[in-house]
Amino acid sequence: MRYFLLVLDQGRGVILHEEEFADGSSSLQARFRIEREKRFTGDIEVIVLGASSREVLQQTHARYFQTVGQLIHSAARLLREQAA
């Protein structure tokens, strides 16, 4: 299992920082440090997600890696596939 720390600007919908860790403890220490640093900085979200690879993470948590337009396109495609 790998751990991925993401720092997101929710207002702009972009990843500001991404870091990979081999263990959960280190990833959480980094998360808490960044949360303290960014606590007064607008619409920032700091998260740690676990996955076997970044590719898997992008599939299971697509909303963090895709634009709103890409998410809408993916949702529309899924709806068309279900209707067929």
Side-chain angles (χ1 to χ4, degrees):
M1 176 76 68
R2 308 295 299 169
Y3 298 90
F4 299 86
L5 172 96
L6 302 176
V7 180
L8 309 154
D9 182 327
Q10 292 181 318
R12 295 187 306 153
V14 296
I15 297 173
L16 301 175
H17 177 76
E18 181 178 341
E19 194 170 343
E20 184 176 339
F21 294 85
D23 68 282
S25 178
S26 296
S27 67
L28 288 176
Q29 288 176 6
R31 175 190 173 182
F32 297 143
R33 176 183 51 77
I34 292 171
E35 283 180 338
R36 281 191 305 274
E37 293 169 1
K38 303 283 186 188
R39 70 180 173 261
F40 301 115
T41 310
D43 212 8
I44 302 297
E45 180 180 7
V46 183
I47 59 170
V48 172
L49 301 168
S52 58
S53 70
R54 189 179 192 284
E55 291 75 25
V56 169
L57 189 69
Q58 286 180 277
Q59 292 174 355
T60 59
H61 292 81
R63 72 183 189 102
Y64 294 117
F65 299 96
Q66 295 180 347
T67 65
V68 171
Q70 290 170 322
L71 289 169
I72 291 170
H73 178 74
S74 295
R77 182 178 40 81
L78 287 172
L79 289 172
R80 283 193 304 273
E81 289 172 1
Q82 289 179 351

